[in-house]
């Protein structure tokens, strides 16, 4: 079942995140502890929105998002979503996305924004769940 995330879920979410984003595919050496610290930064934000998927008292998926003002509208930015690898493909991610879609609809938010790697299977997953590629947006970074 999907439920609102609690602070006590962060340790399990860190473990899920570390397993879902292994260094060999993502280039970052996540451990359960440093992933928990990373995710806790989102959790501590004033406009945090988070859900977990829990079955038999075991959390196996999580989604971290923040409400943000964009011009005259408020949107939800999905920062992170992770499902234990052994549970991927079972509908947990779709249920987590449905929870944030419902959240947005119930509060009259303008939409949902997210970023993902074009080289990961996540882009196809998001497209299957109604997301579209944003035109006119360029992601840039500086090292």
């Amino acid at each position: 079942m999907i439920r609102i995330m609690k602070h006590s879920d962060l340790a399990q979410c860190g473990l899920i995140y570390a397993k879902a984003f292994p260094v060999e595919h993502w280039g970052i050496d996540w451990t359960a502890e440093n992933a928990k610290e990373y995710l806790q930064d989102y959790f501590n934000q004033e406009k945090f929105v988070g859900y977990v998927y829990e079955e038999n008292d075991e959390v196996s998926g999580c989604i971290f998002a923040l409400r943000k003002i964009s011009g005259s509208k408020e949107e939800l930015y999905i920062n992170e979503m992770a499902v234990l690898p052994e549970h991927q493909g079972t509908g947990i991610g779709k249920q987590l996305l449905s929870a944030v879609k419902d959240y947005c609809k119930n509060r009259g938010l303008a939409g949902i924004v997210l970023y993902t790697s074009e080289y990961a299977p996540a882009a196809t997953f998001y497209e299957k769940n109604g997301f579209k590629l944003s035109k006119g947006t360029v992601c840039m970074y500086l090292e």
Side-chain angles (χ1 to χ4, degrees), residues 103-141:
Y103 178 92
C104 288
K105 183 179 177 183
N106 293 338
R107 284 158 183 80
L109 273 60
I112 302 171
V113 177
L114 64 82
Y115 294 91
T116 191
S117 171
E118 67 180 318
Y119 307 110
T124 303
F125 166 78
Y126 290 119
E127 287 174 351
K128 287 180 183 177
N129 284 278
F131 286 79
K132 295 180 176 109
L133 187 61
S134 175
K135 298 197 187 309
T137 303
V138 177
C139 178
M140 302 175 80
Y141 73 98

Side-chain angles (χ1 to χ4, degrees), residues 18-31:
K19 287 183 176 184
F21 296 97
V23 67
E24 56 270 11
H25 292 111
W26 295 93
I28 300 171
D29 190 16
W30 290 111
T31 64

Side-chain angles (χ1 to χ4, degrees), residues 57-76:
D57 295 323
E58 172 105 12
V59 172
S60 55
C62 52
I63 191 164
F64 290 72
L66 294 173
R67 294 186 337 264
K68 290 187 176 185
I69 300 295
S70 178
S72 62
K73 59 188 176 187
E74 188 173 28
E75 298 173 325
L76 190 73

Side-chain angles (χ1 to χ4, degrees), residues 37-87:
E37 289 179 31
Y38 168 73
L39 296 171
Q40 186 160 342
D41 284 345
Y42 292 118
F43 186 89
N44 291 338
Q45 295 293 315
E46 179 182 342
K47 295 185 176 185
F48 172 73
V49 177
Y51 294 93
V52 296
Y53 178 87
E54 181 181 57
E55 191 171 322
N56 301 322
D57 295 323
E58 172 105 12
V59 172
S60 55
C62 52
I63 191 164
F64 290 72
L66 294 173
R67 294 186 337 264
K68 290 187 176 185
I69 300 295
S70 178
S72 62
K73 59 188 176 187
E74 188 173 28
E75 298 173 325
L76 190 73
Y77 282 70
I78 296 175
N79 300 102
E80 300 295 345
M81 184 169 80
V83 175
L84 283 171
E86 60 267 28
H87 294 285

